[in-house]
Amino acid sequence: MLRDNVTLRELNNSNIAHIVASSSNGPRGADNSQELSTDIDNLMLLCKTHHKLVDDNPEEYTVESLKKMKLNQEEKVKELLDAMYYPESLIIMVEIPIKNTIPVQIDHKQTIQALRASGHNPYRDSQINFSFSSNSKYKDRQYWKEAEEQLNCLIDIQLNCLLKYNPKLVLAVFPIAPIPLIMKLGYKLGDKRKILVFQKYREPDTWEWLFDSQTNSFLYEKIKRGNGTKVAVIVSVTSEIDLSRVMAIDDFDTIYHLKAKDCGINAIKSKEDLRCFWKQYQELLDNIKNNDHVEDVSLFPAVPVSAAYEMGRRYMPHAYPKIRVYDECDGFFETITIGD
């Protein structure tokens, strides 16, 4: 951070300078000046003093000399970054329209910033993008069948082929998609390799974790209504789900309700929050399997993407009950199954 020596206020002393002027009449102007005005290869970052110096002396600071200066600086920065020995991670961006109608888009620059903030560099400047859309209605079984097939193709063909030759490659997952599909992605990728999952925030607009320490807590309660084996699991983290809406689906005998102390879209602000959430969710599943001896449950989640991913990634077949995941779209409906 720069500060003014006199006022001690934060100071922005940088200018975006043009190698070939943005106007044909400007310093080092050319016939294609307007075309090059926003070309990243034609831009340099200079302090105000040197910006003026360069533009006041175009005979000395020619297009060729400025391009060479830019290239030398970029090579120095790359050498410095490479010298940090940050491990490389493959960015996986999952962009699936919400409810098959609301488009989503992930800012690639933000993913790189978040990745480097976590102590990793992008893998060879490459990434995997997974998107999916369907002509089927969101609540139709066909939509979820197609989505699972496409997800399997991504992992079995594109990703596994890459991992075959890079078995120790770290994966960095940036998902914005329907919660059941994020859970399925986590389940398919599993927990046998190192995978970083990131959480998108609206305010501030970032993928970086907001805190290093725990900021929230999570607890669950068991509501016994009958002696049968129909079990529902409600997870209220981003918003609280009313029990009556779940009971409208089926006459469940037992309901487990996991809640965040501070419920909201930013309920999970740190990796510690995510760890504490998983600990409670894991304990809940253990209870159902080992104490209730139930093999099949219905899940109603209102969770952020990081929690959805962990719920899938850490799922252990046979150790936990099979999970039928529900989503909400003018009422809850069944989507996919985890552990089938």
Side-chain angles (χ1 to χ4, degrees):
M1 180 188 300
L2 296 177
R3 293 187 183 277
D4 188 280
N5 290 333
V6 177
T7 65
L8 299 182
R9 293 180 179 176
E10 290 185 22
L11 172 67
N12 179 5
N13 194 37
S14 60
N15 282 181
I16 297 176
H18 291 83
I19 296 175
V20 175
S22 58
S23 168
S24 58
N25 297 323
R28 298 170 302 279
D31 292 339
N32 61 342
S33 283
Q34 188 171 0
E35 179 184 341
L36 295 174
S37 62
T38 58
D39 187 337
I40 190 67
D41 292 328
N42 189 51
L43 303 178
M44 299 178 68
L45 197 63
L46 298 174
C47 70
K48 294 178 181 179
T49 301
H50 286 93
H51 189 179
K52 186 175 186 307
L53 175 67
V54 164
D55 282 356
D56 285 350
N57 299 275
E59 298 83 6
E60 181 179 356
Y61 298 99
T62 63
V63 170
E64 292 72 20
S65 65
L66 291 180
K67 283 185 175 181
K68 186 175 181 179
M69 289 168 59
K70 175 182 169 73
L71 179 61
N72 289 340
Q73 178 65 12
E74 289 175 343
E75 289 178 347
K76 287 179 181 178
V77 171
K78 187 177 185 305
E79 287 175 6
L80 288 172
L81 290 175
D82 290 344
M84 293 179 181
Y85 296 108
Y86 284 165
E88 289 187 324
S89 298
L90 176 68
I91 292 176
I92 301 177
M93 299 196 331
V94 183
E95 303 169 304
I96 303 177
I98 305 302
K99 302 186 191 302
N100 202 29
T101 58
I102 305 172
V104 298
Q105 187 173 11
I106 297 175
D107 188 329
H108 180 54
K109 290 183 179 178
Q110 287 186 337
T111 67
I112 293 177
Q113 290 171 354
L115 187 62
R116 285 184 170 150
S118 71
H120 290 253
N121 275 326
Y123 172 71
R124 298 182 184 175
D125 297 323
S126 63
Q127 65 187 47
I128 288 181
N129 292 70
F130 176 59
S131 60
F132 166 78
S133 62
S134 172
N135 292 325
S136 301
K137 293 183 179 179
Y138 187 65
K139 298 177 75 169
D140 288 353
R141 183 60 204 158
Q142 183 61 25
Y143 171 90
W144 297 94
K145 181 181 178 181
E146 293 173 10
E148 288 194 64
E149 288 174 352
Q150 290 295 318
L151 196 60
N152 289 337
C153 286
L154 165 75
I155 295 171
D156 296 339
I157 299 176
Q158 188 175 359
L159 184 58
N160 284 346
C161 180
L162 179 62
L163 296 178
K164 180 180 179 180
Y165 299 100
N166 302 273
K168 295 183 179 180
L169 184 62
V170 176
L171 306 181
V173 180
F174 296 83
I176 300 181
I179 292 302
L181 291 179
I182 296 177
M183 287 185 64
K184 195 69 172 186
L185 174 67
Y187 175 62
K188 292 288 293 183
L189 292 180
D191 63 352
K192 302 304 181 186
R193 68 170 55 252
K194 184 173 182 179
I195 300 178
L196 310 174
V197 61
F198 291 84
Q199 173 67 51
K200 180 68 173 69
Y201 299 98
R202 298 178 187 173
E203 187 61 41
D205 184 16
T206 182
W207 284 90
E208 296 180 38
W209 293 106
L210 301 182
F211 293 92
D212 294 325
S213 57
Q214 183 180 344
T215 69
N216 208 346
S217 58
F218 307 87
L219 289 173
Y220 69 89
E221 62 175 331
K222 180 179 180 180
I223 305 168
K224 190 72 174 174
R225 304 183 68 258
N227 296 320
T229 59
K230 291 183 179 180
V231 176
V233 175
I234 303 174
V235 185
S236 298
V237 176
T238 53
S239 61
E240 185 156 354
I241 299 174
D242 190 272
L243 268 64
S244 63
R245 298 178 61 212
V246 173
M247 292 305 300
I249 301 299
D250 204 342
D251 189 21
F252 292 104
D253 299 292
T254 304
I255 296 176
Y256 284 84
H257 197 170
L258 173 58
K259 299 181 182 180
K261 180 182 178 182
D262 297 319
C263 192
I265 57 173
N266 284 354
I268 293 181
K269 300 178 182 178
S270 68
K271 287 188 285 187
E272 277 300 299
D273 288 340
L274 185 59
R275 184 187 66 80
C276 291
F277 165 79
W278 169 253
K279 184 178 179 181
Q280 286 297 304
Y281 181 69
Q282 180 187 38
E283 184 179 306
L284 181 157
L285 293 182
D286 285 339
N287 248 321
I288 295 173
K289 180 74 173 182
N290 301 317
N291 296 333
D292 299 338
H293 305 291
V294 171
E295 302 291 338
D296 190 311
V297 303
S298 298
L299 174 68
F300 300 83
V303 297
V305 297
S306 60
Y309 183 83
E310 285 294 279
M311 292 164 77
R313 182 176 78 92
R314 291 177 175 268
Y315 177 88
M316 292 189 292
H318 309 300
Y320 300 143
K322 181 187 296 184
I323 299 174
R324 303 183 186 277
V325 186
Y326 283 73
D327 200 7
E328 204 283 331
C329 183
D330 299 323
F332 282 107
F333 66 100
E334 187 174 344
T335 61
I336 62 173
T337 301
I338 303 294
D340 56 339

